[in-house]
Amino acid sequence: MDYSAALDQAIDKLHEEGRYRTFIDIERRNGAFPRAIWTRPDGSQSEITVWCGNDYLGMGQHPVVLSAMHEALDATGAGSGGTRNISGTTVYHKKLEAELADLHGKEAALVFSSAYIANDATLSTLRKLFPGLIIYSDALNHASMIEGIKRFDGAKRIFRHNDVAHLRELLAADDPDAPKLIAFESIYSMDGDFGPIEAICDLADEFNALTYLDEVHAVGMYGPRGGGVAERDGLAHRIDMFNGTLGKAFGVFGGYIAASAKMVDAIRSYAPGFIFTTSLPPAVAAGAAASIALLKTAEGQELRDKQQLYARILKMRLRGLGMPIMDHGSHIVPVHVGHPVHCKALSDMLLADFGIYVQPINFPTVPRGTERLRFTPSPVHTTGEIDALVRAMDALWSQCKLNRSSNVA
Ligand SMILES: Cc1ncc(COP(=O)(O)O)c(C=O)c1O
């Protein structure tokens, strides 16, 4: 085989479809988020505003988080030096897991290298624990759940996105005695829509199924203590297993599950993606624990309130200009473009001409024809920066002769 030609072919295909990804080289400025320095391919630099980060609340620069990280770094050094089972469990990991269990009102939590790994490792391991298990998965679940479910060596059913009637049909068609698990998300981050948590919990009760809820985009962001949408809606006790990240609203890095002590003990003991990998650096665990603790307080609520306010303002202003925004009432502001080349061109012009960085979201992250710009306002943006963004979008929409006046639900 001509390996080099095969690689050319694979990469050319992406170029032809307008979905070849390029890294934008940015350096966020501690204390000045969302400002960052952009280094162009020719080495020249300029200051930009980041509008597509998932550090939704700016916790990545919060002094309490940074000081917890500095303290742990000075106390223990850089890495953990081992897997959790072999010398890699520290007081920082234990504290972080206790903080997470408390956040979700569960007996226990288990930290992984990322939420991606937590989803993949947990879902793919369940067959070992529940022989004959059938997994019911929302059609728009994140790639990490899909990968875990693909590797899960058991029966799988895909229900249409948020379609509770379809889920019921699938559950009803299976053996009533078979063990079952429903895997879904509380916020689907590309559209910003919410999963029907209560209705799915009702079905789970009716069909004796377990519930597995990915709250990656909701933890820190919703609920009086940042426990996510299930906490906000008083439903946390009805969820058997939560999945969350430490890398988005908590501003650090890592992922986790939270569940009963027995469930966590079993996953801890059977999941290769947990067992055979180095644990998080203690400083990372310390920063994440500090961030979670802070977001449980009144200060956390203020940050959440301000973020929600800015999201509403941005949506209102873009809608006022007739931009096709996708508004489901969450903290995410996607603007529908519908073409990969236009989407990339808009993103390039925003960056080069206005110093505004928003990454184009193209296939396979979203279906073809639904390409979009996905804005993530935060409490560390200013009203002046919102204003600059709205003006830039208005100018480019006119320059590119794009449609106005339709809202995409
Ligand atoms: C729904 C969902 N689950 C899981 C993940 C993975 O999170 P992490 O970045 O911690 O791996 C993501 C990442 O964007 C996500 O959107």
Side-chain angles (χ1 to χ4, degrees):
M1 172 161 206
D2 183 342
Y3 294 105
S4 179
L7 293 174
D8 284 341
Q9 202 180 347
I11 290 166
D12 286 350
K13 184 166 179 277
L14 298 178
H15 280 294
E16 276 158 27
E17 293 176 6
R19 59 187 185 92
Y20 178 77
R21 291 180 162 114
T22 43
F23 291 143
I24 303 294
D25 183 351
I26 66 162
E27 195 180 316
R28 295 200 295 168
R29 285 291 184 228
N30 179 19
F33 292 6
R35 311 296 287 175
I37 302 299
W38 170 40
T39 304
R40 296 181 187 78
D42 67 5
S44 62
Q45 295 189 317
S46 55
E47 200 185 53
I48 56 158
T49 307
V50 179
W51 271 103
C52 57
N54 283 337
D55 182 357
Y56 293 126
L57 299 175
M59 294 304 286
Q61 67 179 355
H62 196 291
V64 166
V65 175
L66 300 192
S67 108
M69 294 186 77
H70 282 299
E71 263 173 42
L73 186 68
D74 291 341
T76 75
S80 74
T83 65
R84 283 295 295 276
N85 288 304
I86 307 179
S87 89
T89 295
T90 68
V91 287
Y92 301 98
H93 296 88
K94 301 297 277 184
K95 183 161 182 281
L96 171 57
E97 287 174 345
E99 202 63 81
L100 288 165
D102 170 71
L103 178 71
H104 291 291
K106 295 293 169 203
E107 290 170 347
L110 192 65
V111 170
F112 293 75
S113 317
S114 68
Y116 187 107
I117 301 291
N119 271 334
D120 182 44
T122 303
L123 290 168
S124 60
T125 296
L126 291 171
R127 183 74 188 275
K128 295 181 198 158
L129 308 177
F130 307 111
L133 181 72
I134 305 171
I135 296 188
Y136 302 78
S137 174
D138 187 288
L140 290 193
N141 274 343
H142 186 256
S144 52
M145 276 198 271
I146 295 171
E147 286 302 317
I149 293 167
K150 269 193 200 154
R151 294 201 304 110
F152 160 79
D153 179 26
K156 304 136 199 180
R157 319 267 182 254
I158 312 297
F159 59 96
R160 288 188 292 271
H161 177 53
N162 278 355
D163 188 336
V164 179
H166 188 215
L167 173 59
R168 161 180 277 285
E169 260 173 49
L170 295 173
L171 286 161
D174 283 321
D175 175 359
D177 293 329
K180 302 180 176 72
L181 176 137
I182 307 168
F184 64 117
E185 299 182 24
S186 63
I187 297 185
Y188 292 84
S189 75
M190 290 302 145
D191 288 5
D193 60 329
F194 292 91
I197 302 177
E198 185 164 24
I200 288 182
C201 289
D202 289 346
L203 280 183
D205 286 349
E206 188 181 335
F207 291 91
N208 191 26
L210 296 170
T211 46
Y212 183 98
L213 182 61
D214 177 317
E215 290 247 42
V216 158
H217 291 273
V219 287
M221 301 296 292
Y222 295 84
R225 298 192 319 145
V229 182
E231 186 200 29
R232 182 195 71 181
D233 296 349
L235 297 168
H237 62 289
R238 301 187 66 188
I239 300 297
D240 293 295
M241 252 182 285
F242 281 102
N243 167 280
T245 185
L246 307 171
K248 300 189 195 291
F250 295 127
V252 189
F253 185 73
Y256 65 91
I257 57 164
S260 68
K262 215 180 267 185
M263 183 76 82
V264 166
D265 196 20
I267 299 292
R268 184 184 75 83
S269 309
Y270 280 90
F274 173 80
I275 299 170
F276 299 105
T277 189
T278 304
S279 63
L280 286 190
V284 170
S291 182
I292 296 160
L294 187 133
L295 289 181
K296 289 177 181 172
T297 67
E299 184 183 339
Q301 193 54 46
E302 272 172 37
L303 290 172
R304 282 187 282 279
D305 288 346
K306 194 166 174 196
Q307 193 286 330
Q308 289 284 338
L309 176 67
Y310 281 6
R312 281 198 300 275
I313 291 174
L314 182 58
K315 284 178 194 171
M316 193 180 66
R317 293 200 56 191
L318 292 175
R319 189 187 283 121
L321 292 169
M323 307 244 159
I325 65 165
M326 305 163 84
D327 186 6
H328 297 277
S330 74
H331 62 286
I332 296 163
V333 185
V335 177
H336 182 268
V337 179
H339 192 285
V341 176
H342 295 167
C343 200
K344 168 116 179 39
L346 279 169
S347 162
D348 288 348
M349 287 186 281
L350 280 168
L351 185 60
D353 302 340
F354 298 91
I356 287 170
Y357 172 40
V358 60
Q359 191 67 23
I361 309 285
N362 288 348
F363 179 83
T365 309
V366 295
R368 290 178 212 274
T370 72
E371 292 80 5
R372 66 201 66 175
L373 299 174
R374 174 184 176 273
F375 297 100
T376 51
S378 78
V380 292
H381 284 93
T382 63
T383 48
E385 283 160 347
I386 294 178
D387 204 46
L389 169 63
V390 170
R391 284 165 196 265
M393 284 289 281
D394 191 23
L396 288 180
W397 225 253
S398 297
Q399 187 182 322
C400 300
K401 299 187 173 46
L402 293 169
N403 282 342
R404 302 209 185 215
S405 88
S406 57
N407 271 355
V408 182

